[in-house]
Amino acid sequence: MITISHGKLSRIWLIVLAMLLMPTLLFAVEKLKSEDCLDCHLDPSNKRTVNGHAEMMALFPTNGFAKSVHSQLDCIDCHDGIKEMVHDKKVPPPNCTGCHDKEGKDYATSIHGMSHAMGASGAAECWDCHGSHEIVPVKNGDSPVFKMNLPQTCAKCHSNTNLTKEYQIEFPEAASQYMDSIHGTALLKMGLIVAPSCNDCHGAHKIKRSVDRDSPINHANVAKTCGKCHVGIEETYNKSIHGQLLAAGDPRGPVCIDCHSAHQIVNPAGKNFKSLSDDRCGKCHQDRLEHYRETYHGKAMMLGKANDAPEVAACYDCHGFHDVLPISNPLSHLSANNILATCQKCHPGATAKFTEYRPHANPLDQKNYPLLHVVFLAMTGLLIGTFGFFGVHTLAWLVRAVWLYLHDSKTFREAKIKTQEGDEWFTRFQPFERFLHFLVVTSFLTLVVTGMPLKFYYTDWAKFIFSLIGGPETARMLHRFAAIITFLYFTLHLSSLVGRSWKGRDKLRNPATGKLEIRRFYTAVFGPDSMVPTWQDAKDLIDHNKWFFGKGPKPQFDRWTYWEKFDYFAVFWGVAIIGFSGLIMWFPEFFTRFVPGWAINIALILHSDEALLAAGFIFSIHFFNTHFRIEKFPMDTVIFSGRVSKAEMLHERRRWYDRLVATGKLDDFRVRDEWFRWKNIAKTFGYLFFGLGLVLLALILYAMVSRLVH
């Protein structure tokens, strides 16, 4: 047995320890100094050979490094992968985690670090954000991660088209959108350092995807992230129906970015936000938005200028901003206690009945809106019935006219020329009547141009017309001006009727006895010079239709035809329905003192559908009856000239001509004036009105078809 003394054992352990530490001690002695590295990396003339080619060595930024936070470190402290003075070009990257352990661990779990771990070499690393040799403190204004510099630093990657496409980055324009947002403007243009930069929302080193539950931009955490700055708003939001849904874990609960967006956040007080807000609310409340669009508020909002909004109510004007609550909640803006005050913000004169207006009413919903549903069905039936009846009537007339033209075009053309260029002319319309027709045409076209885009707000042509007009505000002013002209010509016409009736009151009396006679009153009301429909008009309608199908001779008419009388009384009907419903919508505060607010909903249906009926009828049926017929094409100028030739009277209104001859009044209607000297001017205006009507008809048909297809 060998015995080792205690002294010898100690010496053995020292020898073993020395052998173990020898490599470290030797390396410590041979550790590369910065001076050793700079011998090569400061001289621009130094080159190295790589794959047979001479390349310049990387030059070390001495001045920048001297100001950095790492100025006291040696090169090898960061580039610890370098073991020899002469090393390969592809040196290992710096090891930041040796000193920044916590940041390194956070980075490893971030989207950037995990992307690198999966081989995505384009993902950002420490030096991509902080810089390399010139790293200065974060709060230094020269640091690339200084708060005001960070957006540009992040943008180096997030605005790189190739990089965003390669890695399928969800928001490739996030950087530019942020810089134009209210946050970016406040930080970068106004210098408000309290405004959030990228890291305030996404974090610094621990940037996570939005699907990660611990990410500050995860749906469940967004409100809390925004609440770091918007403390009061977060508290209000948490009490709202939206916040309560989120707190309950319901993914339907909208958060800040659902309404304000993530990077394109605009000033909520600006009209740009207002014009966008309805669409954003509609992402969750599509059914409510759909019927809101059918109100004037919704239509005007859709037709507003780009990046602007008209002065109409958006969703949040009624429901609130961050404090949206169920109507059953007493604190809701729309609760029974608060709804009147909410309406009065825009309608100061509103009363309790005004609040019964239904901004999301669905006329197809018979259960919840029975009266509205009945009105909708009635107006739809009126539209279909009117266009169905007169559509068949017009088509039959057109086919008959074409058949006659094709069978004897020479005689047809000669007769047409003769009626238009006769040598004897007779008065059909007095100057006052022609003046009224001018008011009718101009006001009607103005009403259609400014009103039909609202009816078909979803079309591009509607938006184009409103952009030409100057937006909803200008269109509303023009529409109301044209409505005043409508009431004016209607009042003038009624006044003229009263005046003529009063002037001719003696004709109702028997000349011999001086007594009023019912027979004379009946003749005045239902006589051939009256516009009141009679049994003769019904007979003319039947005979005319027989002629369409070759079952009888073409009927002759008196001063007024049955279709002209229909047009005439259609104006009475239209002014009554369109006019009164329009007044309700124009002065809702006044009328809802007497009727409930849902009367506005009914007025909208009546006004809209009756206007469509009027426009469609005038631009199709009336235009055919007056202008499209082959014998009248391209235009009947009688309403401008007020005159009709003898040939035309004999061709179409023989009963009128014979009656005038029999009563000896023919010469009273004979005219000799200067019409031919100014007819070209009148016809120019006529063609302008006529052409505009046809364009509007085509746009209306396109809009209706596109709505059905959609």
Side-chain angles (χ1 to χ4, degrees):
M1 179 176 173
I2 301 173
T3 302
I4 301 176
S5 66
H6 179 72
K8 287 183 178 181
L9 182 61
S10 298
R11 285 194 296 272
I12 291 173
W13 278 111
L14 286 174
I15 292 172
V16 171
L17 181 62
M19 292 176 65
L20 292 173
L21 293 177
M22 184 63 67
T24 302
L25 293 174
L26 290 174
F27 182 74
V29 174
E30 297 179 1
K31 178 183 177 182
L32 299 176
K33 299 293 184 181
S34 294
E35 293 78 7
D36 299 327
C37 300
L38 297 181
D39 286 341
C40 294
H41 289 283
L42 285 182
D43 188 352
S45 63
N46 283 341
K47 295 184 179 180
R48 62 191 303 161
T49 301
V50 178
N51 296 328
H53 298 283
E55 293 184 0
M56 182 182 296
M57 289 187 179
L59 295 179
F60 183 75
T62 307
N63 295 334
F65 183 74
K67 300 176 183 178
S68 76
V69 294
H70 296 154
S71 60
Q72 301 303 314
L73 298 179
D74 285 327
C75 304
I76 200 67
D77 291 327
C78 296
H79 299 282
D80 57 1
I82 298 175
K83 305 299 182 182
E84 300 173 344
M85 287 288 293
V86 179
H87 46 267
D88 185 67
K89 179 185 178 183
K90 295 181 180 179
V91 297
N95 179 18
C96 301
T97 58
C99 299
H100 304 284
D101 180 61
K102 180 182 181 304
E103 289 80 2
K105 291 179 179 178
D106 288 343
Y107 172 82
T109 62
S110 72
I111 182 64
H112 294 150
M114 293 178 67
S115 296
H116 257 290
M118 291 186 293
S121 59
E125 298 191 70
C126 308
W127 46 89
D128 291 310
C129 301
H130 292 272
S132 53
H133 299 99
E134 305 90 350
I135 298 176
V136 294
V138 172
K139 294 186 178 181
N140 188 312
D142 294 330
S143 172
V145 292
F146 178 64
K147 191 168 191 177
M148 298 183 70
N149 299 333
L150 189 59
Q152 289 85 352
T153 299
C154 296
K156 288 189 300 182
C157 293
H158 289 274
S159 288
N160 185 323
T161 305
N162 295 329
L163 201 62
T164 57
K165 184 180 296 184
E166 179 182 354
Y167 293 105
Q168 299 179 1
I169 295 178
E170 185 177 2
F171 300 105
E173 299 179 359
S176 60
Q177 290 172 349
Y178 166 82
M179 293 177 189
D180 291 332
S181 72
I182 188 172
H183 290 159
T185 301
L187 180 67
L188 303 177
K189 296 181 180 179
M190 301 176 67
L192 298 177
I193 200 68
V194 294
S197 192
C198 308
N199 62 318
D200 290 302
C201 300
H202 294 273
H205 301 97
K206 202 174 182 179
I207 300 174
K208 297 291 188 73
R209 300 173 302 164
S210 61
V211 295
D212 292 329
R213 294 185 179 182
D214 60 341
S215 169
I217 60 170
N218 179 267
H219 184 266
N221 301 327
V222 168
K224 186 182 298 183
T225 298
C226 296
K228 291 188 298 182
C229 296
H230 304 282
V231 179
I233 291 177
E234 184 192 8
E235 292 177 355
T236 302
Y237 165 82
N238 288 337
K239 297 175 184 177
S240 73
I241 183 64
H242 295 157
Q244 292 170 12
L245 282 173
L246 185 69
D250 193 327
R252 296 176 301 167
V255 294
C256 313
I257 59 174
D258 291 311
C259 301
H260 295 275
S261 81
H263 304 101
Q264 290 179 290
I265 302 173
V266 297
N267 187 347
K271 291 185 176 181
N272 188 27
F273 176 78
K274 189 172 188 177
S275 64
L276 298 172
S277 63
D278 289 341
D279 286 329
R280 291 173 179 173
C281 294
K283 288 188 297 184
C284 297
H285 306 283
Q286 183 59 46
D287 58 327
R288 313 300 285 170
L289 177 65
E290 179 182 355
H291 300 299
Y292 162 80
R293 293 285 194 219
E294 297 299 327
T295 68
Y296 176 75
H297 292 160
K299 294 176 180 180
M301 192 71 74
M302 284 287 289
L303 295 173
K305 301 175 184 176
N307 300 322
D308 199 354
E311 294 298 330
V312 294
C315 304
Y316 60 75
D317 287 308
C318 301
H319 294 274
F321 298 85
H322 305 99
D323 55 347
V324 180
L325 293 167
I327 296 177
S328 57
N329 190 314
L331 298 178
S332 168
H333 291 272
L334 298 178
S335 68
N337 297 328
N338 299 326
I339 187 171
L340 180 58
T342 299
C343 294
Q344 287 176 338
K345 290 188 298 182
C346 298
H347 302 276
T351 61
K353 288 186 176 181
F354 182 92
T355 63
E356 296 180 42
Y357 170 68
R358 298 293 177 258
H360 302 289
N362 178 8
L364 297 178
D365 186 350
Q366 182 179 4
K367 179 180 179 181
N368 294 310
Y369 308 99
L371 185 56
L372 205 62
H373 183 67
V374 170
V375 173
F376 173 78
L377 291 181
M379 291 305 300
T380 302
L382 179 63
L383 280 164
I384 296 174
T386 302
F387 284 113
F389 176 82
F390 281 100
V392 173
H393 179 275
T394 300
L395 181 61
W397 196 347
L398 175 63
V399 172
R400 178 63 171 173
V402 171
W403 186 87
L404 290 173
Y405 179 80
L406 294 177
H407 278 71
D408 193 354
S409 60
K410 182 175 182 296
T411 302
F412 200 102
R413 288 195 301 270
E414 290 175 351
K416 177 178 178 180
I417 294 172
K418 186 176 179 180
T419 59
Q420 294 178 350
E421 299 180 358
D423 55 355
E424 290 187 73
W425 296 87
F426 299 90
T427 299
R428 278 206 69 202
F429 298 108
Q430 299 294 334
F432 179 73
E433 295 168 332
R434 287 139 65 185
F435 170 69
L436 289 184
H437 188 267
F438 175 79
L439 294 182
V440 171
V441 170
T442 52
S443 62
F444 183 76
L445 286 175
T446 304
L447 289 170
V448 174
V449 169
T450 56
M452 281 300 117
L454 287 170
K455 177 75 174 177
F456 304 107
Y457 63 91
Y458 48 86
T459 62
D460 292 333
W461 64 260
K463 297 174 183 177
F464 175 73
I465 288 178
F466 261 44
S467 67
L468 289 181
I469 292 174
E473 290 83 2
T474 305
R476 181 171 54 198
M477 179 184 66
L478 291 174
H479 197 78
R480 291 174 176 176
F481 176 75
I484 293 173
I485 299 300
T486 300
F487 292 131
L488 173 63
Y489 74 67
F490 192 70
T491 302
L492 289 174
H493 177 65
L494 292 179
S495 300
S496 70
L497 290 179
V498 173
R500 280 184 291 176
S501 299
W502 179 257
K503 187 177 179 180
R505 66 188 183 280
D506 292 338
K507 295 180 181 180
L508 303 179
R509 297 178 183 273
N510 187 310
T513 63
K515 293 182 179 180
L516 293 174
E517 293 183 352
I518 295 178
R519 179 179 60 83
R520 291 175 177 271
F521 180 80
Y522 181 87
T523 301
V525 175
F526 297 100
D529 288 317
S530 171
M531 293 295 293
V532 178
T534 63
W535 285 112
Q536 181 60 47
D537 295 310
K539 184 177 181 301
D540 289 343
L541 172 62
I542 295 172
D543 291 343
H544 207 192
N545 277 273
K546 288 181 178 179
W547 174 74
F548 291 159
F549 297 96
K551 300 300 182 181
K554 181 179 181 181
Q556 287 297 319
F557 302 100
D558 209 296
R559 185 176 183 181
W560 309 112
T561 63
Y562 66 86
W563 65 84
E564 290 170 339
K565 291 184 179 182
F566 182 89
D567 287 353
Y568 177 80
F569 278 99
V571 174
F572 278 82
W573 168 269
V575 171
I577 300 299
I578 300 177
F580 185 65
S581 60
L583 286 174
I584 291 178
M585 293 189 294
W586 190 349
F587 304 104
E589 299 168 32
F590 171 78
F591 282 98
T592 50
R593 295 179 184 177
F594 317 104
V595 297
W598 46 259
I600 302 173
N601 298 97
I602 293 178
L604 176 61
I605 293 178
L606 293 174
H607 193 82
S608 178
D609 287 356
E610 182 62 29
L612 177 61
L613 174 61
F617 188 91
I618 292 296
F619 298 149
S620 57
I621 309 300
H622 174 73
F623 273 13
F624 175 83
N625 294 342
T626 307
H627 306 293
F628 281 174
R629 287 186 287 152
I630 298 179
E631 62 268 31
K632 299 290 186 180
F633 188 83
M635 178 180 293
D636 186 355
T637 59
V638 65
I639 195 60
F640 302 107
S641 67
R643 58 168 62 194
V644 60
S645 69
K646 178 180 177 180
E648 183 173 351
M649 289 180 71
L650 294 174
H651 175 71
E652 189 169 276
R653 302 176 193 271
R654 183 62 179 261
R655 291 208 314 261
W656 183 34
Y657 179 83
D658 291 342
R659 183 166 58 86
L660 292 177
V661 171
T663 57
K665 295 181 179 180
L666 184 62
D667 285 340
D668 294 342
F669 287 83
R670 194 182 302 275
V671 293
R672 297 179 182 84
D673 55 28
E674 301 297 320
W675 159 246
F676 289 102
R677 292 176 180 250
W678 62 280
K679 70 174 183 178
N680 289 334
I681 298 176
K683 290 174 71 174
T684 300
F685 279 102
Y687 283 129
L688 177 63
F689 295 148
F690 183 56
L692 180 58
L694 292 179
V695 171
L696 290 171
L697 175 62
L699 294 176
I700 290 171
L701 291 174
Y702 166 78
M704 295 178 70
V705 172
S706 64
R707 183 70 174 264
L708 290 174
V709 173
H710 178 74

